[in-house]
Amino acid sequence: TGTISSLQRQLEIQESQLRRIKSEKEMLQRKLREQEKELETTCAKFRSLREEQEHEVMMATMEENISLQQVVTELKSMVAEQKEQMNELQGVVSQLRAELQSCQRHSHTQQREHAVLQSQAEMLQHKVLQATVARESISSRFERYRNKIIQATFSTAGSKPPQAELTDEEVLEAMQVPASSKVCFQQPARDWWGK
């Protein structure tokens, strides 16, 4: 967005300069036409008065004509230079417009990609939540099953109840009992799996 704003400002500046140069060109062309008219008028006067005027007046008029011709030549040169600058500025303006359009397209593409990524992130968050709920459910079932195993294991005749929390290895060792005592824990396990 900052790049687009900068390009738009540059485009406005270039267009302002282009308008100013066009205005200067029109003013120079008006001056050129006025000078050409003045030159034509002076030449007409020179032709109508050359027989009546003295040699000094003719020389002065000729010098004035030469001066006016120099002014016209300079004005023509300035107009040509202004045209060249105007063409250059038009090229810059066209380039800035192209860059602005490219930046706008890039910005739209980024917005679409951001929307897609945001949607994917929301979907992943939903999946993570589902996985967390499933893990907690499985952990809860596992803990209930473990407690039933411990109850069944230590409820057999001659077993001592545990004095502290048992590790999984200790529970497995306690389950290594004679076959006759295993029948006692099978029923609670069936009850748990039935639930």
Side-chain angles (χ1 to χ4, degrees):
T1 303
T3 304
I4 291 173
S5 298
S6 175
L7 287 172
Q8 286 176 336
R9 285 196 298 273
Q10 290 183 18
L11 181 61
E12 290 171 359
I13 291 170
Q14 294 293 341
E15 287 177 341
S16 175
Q17 290 181 351
L18 184 60
R19 288 192 297 270
R20 180 178 56 80
I21 288 175
K22 284 181 177 179
S23 175
E24 291 176 357
K25 176 189 169 188
E26 291 172 359
M27 182 183 67
L28 288 172
Q29 286 177 335
R30 282 198 303 271
K31 287 183 178 180
L32 178 61
R33 287 192 294 269
E34 291 171 2
Q35 293 291 343
E36 286 175 341
K37 286 179 181 179
E38 188 176 347
L39 179 60
E40 289 172 359
T41 303
T42 303
C43 290
K45 288 180 181 180
F46 174 75
R47 284 191 300 268
S48 64
L49 296 173
R50 64 185 172 184
E51 296 177 356
E52 301 173 5
Q53 292 179 339
E54 297 178 357
H55 180 68
E56 296 169 357
V57 175
M58 288 193 312
M59 292 300 295
T61 305
M62 289 176 64
E63 288 177 2
E64 185 179 355
N65 286 339
I66 291 172
S67 176
L68 287 173
Q69 286 175 347
Q70 289 176 348
V71 170
V72 169
T73 302
E74 290 175 2
L75 286 173
K76 285 181 178 178
S77 176
M78 290 176 69
V79 168
E81 185 179 348
Q82 292 292 331
K83 283 182 180 178
E84 184 179 351
Q85 289 180 0
M86 187 172 65
N87 291 334
E88 290 177 0
L89 282 174
Q90 284 176 337
V92 172
V93 167
S94 299
Q95 181 182 354
L96 287 173
R97 282 179 177 161
E99 289 179 7
L100 177 61
Q101 291 174 353
S102 175
C103 285
Q104 287 174 337
R105 286 193 299 270
H106 184 64
S107 176
H108 293 324
T109 301
Q110 284 184 332
Q111 288 175 353
R112 287 193 298 271
E113 290 175 354
H114 176 72
V116 170
L117 289 175
Q118 188 172 7
S119 175
Q120 290 176 349
E122 290 173 357
M123 186 169 57
L124 286 174
Q125 286 178 346
H126 182 66
K127 288 183 179 180
V128 167
L129 180 61
Q130 288 179 332
T132 302
V133 170
R135 180 181 58 80
E136 291 176 354
S137 175
I138 291 170
S139 297
S140 175
R141 290 181 62 191
F142 173 76
E143 191 60 32
R144 287 199 306 272
Y145 180 60
R146 187 176 184 276
N147 290 336
K148 288 185 178 289
I149 290 174
I150 292 172
Q151 285 179 350
T153 301
F154 290 99
S155 66
T156 59
S159 297
K160 295 181 180 180
Q163 300 299 317
E165 187 174 349
L166 297 174
T167 65
D168 292 341
E169 289 78 10
E170 290 173 338
V171 173
L172 288 173
E173 288 176 6
M175 289 175 64
Q176 306 298 321
V177 293
S180 60
S181 61
K182 289 183 181 179
V183 176
C184 298
F185 101 29
Q186 287 177 355
Q187 185 60 39
R190 286 196 196 101
D191 292 343
W192 184 82
W193 285 112
K195 294 179 182 180

